[in-house]
Amino acid sequence: TPGVGKKRQLLMKTIEKALSRLTTAYICVSQFDYDLGVQSGVITSAHPARVIHNGVTALVSAKKVNNTETFVLSMAARFDAPKRQDLLIQALTYLPENLPIVCHFLGDGPAIEACKTLTHQLNLDAKVRFYGVVDNVQKYYSQSDVGVLISDYEALPISLVEALAQGLPIIASNVGGIQELIDHNGFLVANDTQQIAEKILTLYQSKKIAEVKTNSYQVYQRHYTEHEMLEQTQAYYLRCLA
């Protein structure tokens, strides 16, 4: 996938083509991955594939009260490549200081200390909170206003599917299959700190935020429920076995 080093790309293609002889069919979690498979010659008429999106079950929990003063951004991701929590932290410096916006980071990893240092250097300690590994991401999303994922490359991240399940607007990097999650329910961004900040401000100021949240949940219900994923997967296995 774009963003992965050339040597690793070549290695992965070689392994996939070698294993294709043992493969009846492929399941791709996004149309983006399917197209990559076709372009690389891994997915062929002899070794077909089907797109079955990642799905989750929505957690039923108390929703955040819309009129609460603090506007909460949440990013759930490991602190390691290809995730770019550092860009989201830097983006906060382009927002007016008096805006009641805080950013919650869920996850751990080797880059977390560098991100904590960056937060302190930019005087953002009051606006950034690190929660480490959490048991249930959706519980935290239910008390958030926006789901964010800034990344150098992706397939179709479950963290954003979980954000959809809680009806959150999305701000995410325009990489991999992420565009398949967006339908009038948020923004795709370049990995540019000013552009990220601009979209955060747009959602904060939006008078139609309730409509955007409804759109997110409808996208989830149409394409990303666990039931739909399991049903499609079982049907594809049965087709291949037949």
Side-chain angles (χ1 to χ4, degrees):
T1 185
V4 175
K6 297 296 183 183
K7 289 183 180 179
R8 184 171 177 179
Q9 285 189 34
L10 179 61
L11 176 63
M12 292 300 106
K13 287 180 183 179
T14 302
I15 292 172
E16 288 285 3
K17 287 182 178 180
L19 292 177
S20 67
R21 292 173 236 171
L22 305 174
T23 302
T24 302
Y26 293 94
I27 291 176
C28 299
V29 299
S30 68
Q31 185 64 42
F32 179 85
D33 279 354
Y34 179 94
D35 293 341
L36 276 181
V38 172
Q39 292 165 16
S40 64
V42 173
I43 295 172
T44 64
S45 57
H47 304 286
R50 179 174 176 180
V51 176
I52 301 177
H53 290 124
N54 289 325
V56 302
T57 293
L59 172 71
V60 179
S61 60
K63 297 290 185 180
K64 184 175 184 286
V65 179
N66 288 333
N67 62 2
T68 54
E69 292 183 4
T70 306
F71 193 77
V72 180
L73 314 170
S74 286
M75 176 169 167
R78 177 171 166 76
F79 281 81
D80 200 0
K83 315 303 181 186
R84 297 300 304 273
Q85 290 93 342
D86 60 314
L87 294 181
L88 180 52
I89 293 168
Q90 292 173 47
L92 298 178
T93 64
Y94 290 97
L95 297 172
E97 287 187 24
N98 62 341
L99 287 187
I101 291 178
V102 298
C103 185
H104 293 176
F105 287 107
L106 314 176
D108 202 348
I112 192 169
E113 292 305 322
C115 285
K116 287 180 178 179
T117 299
L118 177 63
T119 297
H120 185 67
Q121 290 172 342
L122 296 176
N123 297 314
L124 291 171
D125 297 283
K127 290 185 175 289
V128 178
R129 298 172 189 168
F130 297 90
Y131 285 89
V133 177
V134 300
D135 292 332
N136 197 319
V137 170
Q138 285 194 55
K139 181 178 71 175
Y140 288 84
Y141 279 155
S142 70
Q143 299 302 309
S144 304
D145 294 285
V146 180
V148 185
L149 185 65
I150 306 302
S151 184
D152 286 331
Y153 57 88
E154 289 288 345
L156 193 138
I158 286 184
S159 64
L160 289 185
V161 178
E162 290 182 301
L164 294 180
Q166 289 300 312
L168 291 189
I170 301 296
I171 296 175
S173 300
N174 189 13
V175 295
I178 290 179
Q179 62 180 319
E180 296 165 45
L181 300 168
I182 305 300
D183 184 8
H184 300 93
N185 63 320
F187 299 105
L188 296 170
V189 295
N191 283 0
D192 175 85
T193 52
Q194 287 183 276
Q195 187 179 138
I196 296 166
E198 175 191 324
K199 299 308 181 186
I200 293 171
L201 189 60
T202 298
L203 284 177
Y204 175 77
Q205 296 175 334
S206 175
K207 295 180 180 179
K208 297 183 178 180
I209 191 74
E211 181 181 325
V212 178
K213 290 181 177 182
T214 298
N215 291 343
S216 264
Y217 191 68
Q218 288 177 345
V219 169
Y220 160 72
Q221 286 186 309
R222 285 198 302 268
H223 303 295
Y224 300 101
T225 65
E226 187 176 53
H227 174 78
E228 181 73 10
M229 176 186 68
L230 294 175
E231 193 173 68
Q232 289 189 40
T233 301
Q234 183 180 33
Y236 198 44
Y237 266 77
L238 291 174
R239 176 181 167 185
C240 292
L241 289 169

